[in-house]
Amino acid sequence: LTLLAKNADGYRDLVKLSSWSHTRETYFYNPRIDYEMMRNIDTSNLICLSGCVMGELQETFLEAIKHIIAIECKTPAEEEKARSKGYEVVRQWAWPRWSSKLDAQLRAHPDYAMAIDAAIMVMKRYRSMFPEGQYFYELMDHGFVLEQWGHRHLYSQARRYGIPAVVTNDSHYGPVEHKELHDLLMSMQWKQTFCGSTDTKRLDICS
């Protein structure tokens, strides 16, 4: 989720949310906010974007379809085998690149409608929390396979419910020379061995 201040009051609301996220029981490894916190501020002063592929909207949909499209990797060897075949491995699930054949297979699956409905519920929840025109569906393209699957199915639903779109890009570090330092920080956060630019076990953060 991305929250932007619309004015000075919105900035003060962001400061409140940031403080609450660090000091309340929602803190779990990282600062977090929840719906209750959002209900305690004036959202008319904020602009909300749906977030990246790891945001609630995308994750709700992708989690619901992974058993249809992706392959579970139970061992490191299975992960490496999947990567060698061009799959993108995220959290022990190997995702194939989008294709019209796989897309048709997904849409025909009996669980697809439930996955779409779950994502629509998230969209409607956020749309109801913010004034009209202040909740946006966020479009990103970092070349991730997960983004392909998410946007091809959720963008049309956002348009269906009158949710405008905005094109953005994640920015995790400044100049490209800082990428390896960012990878080092990510390795520390996830308690993984740092392998530098040859590390293929984590999602590559390319921006």
Side-chain angles (χ1 to χ4, degrees), residues 4 28 31 43 45 48 58 76 101 113 119 144 164 183 188 192-193 204:
L4 307 174
F28 184 72
T43 56
N45 298 315
C48 180
Q58 297 275 357
K101 181 179 180 180
F144 298 151
D183 286 343
M188 293 167 64
Q192 293 178 334
T193 302
D204 186 35

Side-chain angles (χ1 to χ4, degrees), residues 70-197:
I71 301 170
E72 185 175 11
C73 299
K74 297 181 179 180
T75 66
E78 289 180 348
E79 290 186 12
E80 291 304 318
K81 183 178 179 180
R83 289 191 183 93
S84 69
K85 293 182 178 181
Y87 285 72
E88 185 175 278
V89 180
V90 181
R91 297 173 184 169
Q92 296 181 308
W93 286 83
W95 290 81
R97 296 201 170 273
W98 182 91
S99 70
S100 56
K101 181 179 180 180
L102 286 174
D103 193 79
Q105 176 184 322
L106 171 61
R107 293 175 187 272
H109 196 280
D111 291 345
Y112 175 72
M114 290 188 292
I116 286 291
D117 288 344
I120 289 173
M121 286 181 63
V122 175
M123 286 186 192
K124 288 183 174 180
R125 182 186 301 125
Y126 282 106
R127 188 182 64 172
S128 69
M129 293 169 63
F130 292 86
E132 185 175 357
Q134 288 179 222
Y135 173 60
F136 292 81
Y137 178 79
E138 201 164 356
L139 282 165
M140 295 184 178
D141 184 5
H142 301 93
F144 298 151
V145 170
L146 292 179
E147 289 175 330
Q148 297 174 7
W149 286 107
H151 292 324
R152 285 181 179 273
H153 294 265
L154 298 181
Y155 174 53
S156 60
Q157 297 300 324
R159 294 187 62 184
R160 175 186 173 190
Y161 288 96
I163 298 171
V166 61
V167 177
T168 67
N169 192 73
D170 274 348
S171 180
H172 296 91
Y173 47 87
V176 67
E177 292 81 11
H178 291 177
K179 182 181 188 304
E180 190 158 321
L181 290 173
H182 183 266
D183 286 343
L184 176 60
L185 287 173
M186 292 293 291
S187 297
M188 293 167 64
Q189 179 180 345
W190 293 102
K191 296 180 174 61
Q192 293 178 334
T193 302
F194 177 62
C195 302
S197 58

Side-chain angles (χ1 to χ4, degrees), residues 8-64:
D9 288 335
Y11 175 74
R12 283 188 282 271
D13 286 330
L14 288 182
V15 171
K16 287 180 186 176
L17 288 171
S18 179
S19 297
W20 292 343
S21 71
H22 282 82
T23 58
R24 296 194 176 183
E25 63 276 5
T26 54
Y27 189 99
F28 184 72
Y29 290 98
N30 292 294
R32 299 168 186 263
I33 62 174
D34 59 18
Y35 295 122
E36 181 183 354
M37 293 181 191
M38 293 294 294
R39 285 192 288 267
N40 287 326
I41 61 169
D42 184 358
T43 56
S44 66
N45 298 315
L46 299 174
I47 293 171
C48 180
L49 313 182
S50 63
C52 68
V53 70
M54 297 300 179
E56 181 182 6
L57 175 58
Q58 297 275 357
E59 278 219 327
T60 296
F61 177 70
L62 295 170
E63 185 69 20

